[in-house]
Amino acid sequence: MGAPEEMDQYLQSITAALGRLNAAASECQSRLLIEHDGSIKDHSANQTVHDNLVLEAYKFLQIAQGPIDAVATCFERTAHLACTRSLLEMGAFDMLPTGGEARSTKELAEELEVDEALLARLMRNSALFEETGPRQYRHTPFSEAYLNPAIRGMFRFAMDEHMPAHLKMHEFLKRNSWREPTSTSDNPYTYAHDTNGKSMWAYLSERPTRMASFNDGMTLQAMTELWMIDLFPWESLSDLHPTPTTVVAVDIGGGTGKGISRIRSHCGSLSGRFILQDQAHVIQNADPLGDGIENMAYNFFEEQPVRGALTYLIRRCLHNWPQDSIVEILKNVAAAMQPEKSRLLIEEIIVPHVNAGVEEGWMEMVMMNLGAKQRTLKDWEEVLDLAGLEVREVYQIAGNCHGLLEARLK
């Protein structure tokens, strides 16, 4: 540390940051200790205080490190990622027993048939396992997380697909004259992976193992407790007097059907049909959902076959595409909608105009890799307008970046 005034400024910054961190910790503790009702507003409030605590912890660490050491953490972070990925592919996570039992690197190396010296170095520097003695390790909650297939899929997808694109992003943007990428076939991802003009989706479709990691990772979206569709007044659809043949809801690109199943439960005894739509290979592998839910193979770049449904849902799909593609998708829905009767529900991140949070930030960079983006409410209104639609209602909880847009035909 330099001159005394610099030391004083540093200590003042540390004290102020620690005060904010303690306040965030107290708020989080108070929130989590109250009685919970399990509603989306309850889950959202829990998530908000948690996110605020994490953000203040990041800020405190950054201030404590100082500008130079904060920059140097790039070595630490990338080193941890390299160790974790190597140990994952080696099989070390699976071989180490759960339940608190420690194993020596000698035993593990023999069972894995790998070099013990290498294994010991990787485990020591991974920052995931607990060292219980010389070359003795056991699982922690942070290492056991990688035993979950969804976590593994997300990690591999991030490392294999998006990390190379992040590292090459500056090269692509310079080559692109520092313009915003807006193409599915010419973007940081296609540049880094040299896809020969193929989008990420086409490129991964030819690499089943990597596509499987993507599919596993995306199941985390369905594991969330924050479903913005819960905010929509589903009971109000009874005012439209649906019959058993009325299509109440179509979940477009709904994957394994968690969303349409949730909608079905919200509608209770409401008469009508509920339809899950996704690409043929997804639908073919989907389990029957029962309770009046139908599976239908469908590509949202084609004409929507279900006409006049009361609601169409697109959940966390549109952010993967540039504007021209989104307009094409939305026009297909709009052509099937019935005026003043059909609603289009879009569940996505709605980026605030100021003070965007951590999740919006990293997700924005992931989308930029694909020539896509996260959007503000104004951005969504402009895109919907191009498709002949207008926003009628925005369902959102203060402090949560996710929201539900209700749009109808203009």
Side-chain angles (χ1 to χ4, degrees):
M1 198 64 67
E5 57 269 21
E6 292 180 356
M7 178 70 78
D8 289 342
Q9 186 177 17
Y10 174 74
L11 291 176
Q12 289 174 12
S13 298
I14 286 288
T15 300
L18 183 58
R20 293 192 297 269
L21 178 58
N22 285 333
S26 296
E27 183 183 13
C28 186
Q29 182 183 43
S30 298
R31 171 67 205 173
L32 297 180
L33 288 176
I34 67 172
E35 186 174 347
H36 299 282
D37 61 16
S39 67
I40 184 173
K41 293 182 179 180
D42 185 55
H43 288 308
S44 181
N46 293 344
Q47 188 67 47
T48 297
V49 295
H50 168 268
D51 291 346
N52 187 50
L53 174 58
V54 171
L55 181 60
E56 291 300 335
Y58 280 147
K59 290 178 180 178
F60 176 80
L61 178 60
Q62 190 175 57
I63 291 171
Q65 289 172 325
I68 296 175
D69 285 350
V71 173
T73 59
C74 64
F75 289 106
E76 176 186 348
R77 293 172 182 171
T78 53
H80 289 331
L81 290 172
C83 288
T84 301
R85 185 57 193 272
S86 298
L87 290 166
L88 187 62
E89 300 311 314
M90 185 187 288
F93 287 87
D94 296 299
M95 195 61 69
L96 194 64
T98 57
E101 180 183 346
R103 297 286 296 280
S104 70
T105 55
K106 183 176 185 301
E107 293 174 298
L108 289 172
E110 289 176 353
E111 294 177 9
L112 292 168
E113 298 181 348
V114 299
D115 177 19
E116 185 196 353
L118 171 64
L119 175 63
R121 292 172 67 184
L122 291 173
M123 295 195 75
R124 180 175 69 243
N125 295 303
S126 69
L128 288 173
F129 303 95
E130 180 184 353
E131 188 173 15
T132 60
R135 294 198 173 190
Q136 295 271 346
Y137 294 91
R138 66 182 176 189
H139 267 302
T140 68
F142 300 97
S143 61
E144 286 186 352
Y146 289 88
L147 299 177
N148 183 324
I151 298 293
R152 288 190 182 198
M154 179 189 68
F155 180 72
R156 285 181 171 133
F157 177 64
M159 288 285 289
D160 293 353
E161 312 308 332
H162 284 287
M163 188 64 69
H166 286 323
L167 296 176
K168 293 283 188 178
M169 180 180 284
H170 69 286
E171 290 183 15
F172 172 84
L173 295 177
K174 183 177 181 180
R175 190 202 71 167
N176 203 41
S177 301
W178 301 106
R179 297 190 308 272
E180 185 181 45
T182 58
S183 168
T184 59
S185 59
D186 187 23
N187 52 52
Y189 180 94
T190 62
Y191 174 78
H193 291 278
D194 192 18
T195 67
N196 196 28
K198 296 177 181 177
S199 69
M200 183 189 76
W201 312 107
Y203 184 70
L204 288 183
S205 69
E206 299 171 350
R207 292 158 177 79
T209 301
R210 286 162 65 173
M211 179 60 89
S213 292
F214 167 77
N215 290 332
D216 286 342
M218 291 305 100
T219 60
L220 287 175
Q221 287 192 11
M223 295 167 63
T224 180
E225 294 174 323
L226 296 173
W227 291 80
M228 294 301 126
I229 56 175
D230 290 359
L231 297 175
F232 182 75
W234 295 100
E235 67 282 354
S236 68
L237 296 180
S238 62
D239 297 339
L240 299 175
H241 309 294
T243 68
T245 60
T246 302
V247 178
V248 175
V250 182
D251 188 355
I252 304 170
T256 59
K258 291 255 192 311
I260 195 67
S261 296
R262 199 172 187 91
I263 290 172
R264 183 70 188 89
S265 67
H266 283 312
C267 290
S269 60
L270 194 69
S271 294
R273 299 165 59 199
F274 298 80
I275 299 175
L276 168 66
Q277 290 182 337
D278 212 308
Q279 296 184 71
H281 69 90
V282 176
I283 292 298
Q284 288 168 3
N285 295 319
D287 295 327
L289 297 172
D291 201 21
I293 298 175
E294 307 166 34
N295 291 349
M296 179 184 294
Y298 171 65
N299 182 332
F300 52 36
F301 286 109
E302 299 172 354
E303 180 181 345
Q304 172 58 250
V306 181
R307 320 292 291 186
L310 301 187
T311 60
Y312 297 87
L313 170 68
I314 306 179
R315 182 176 186 268
R316 301 190 186 184
C317 292
L318 296 178
H319 66 177
N320 292 316
W321 301 94
Q323 179 165 299
D324 289 348
S325 297
I326 293 177
V327 172
E328 181 181 354
I329 294 167
L330 293 178
K331 282 185 174 180
N332 287 329
V333 181
M337 293 173 66
Q338 185 173 334
E340 290 307 319
K341 176 182 176 183
S342 300
R343 287 100 160 148
L344 169 61
L345 304 177
I346 299 173
E347 183 174 335
E348 288 283 1
I349 283 176
I350 303 175
V351 179
H353 291 290
V354 295
N355 297 323
V358 174
E359 182 179 2
E360 303 97 295
W362 67 257
M363 186 69 83
E364 172 78 342
M365 292 301 100
V366 168
M367 293 303 109
M368 188 180 290
N369 284 340
L370 307 180
K373 67 189 295 183
Q374 299 298 143
R375 290 173 167 79
T376 63
L377 177 58
K378 182 180 178 182
D379 291 331
W380 281 116
E381 289 173 338
E382 290 175 354
V383 171
L384 285 159
D385 180 66
L386 292 172
L389 297 157
E390 62 182 1
V391 176
R392 292 287 186 90
E393 194 70 55
V394 179
Y395 302 93
Q396 198 169 18
I397 300 172
N400 194 314
C401 65
H402 294 272
L404 186 72
L405 305 174
E406 178 185 342
R408 301 194 196 183
L409 294 172
K410 290 193 291 185

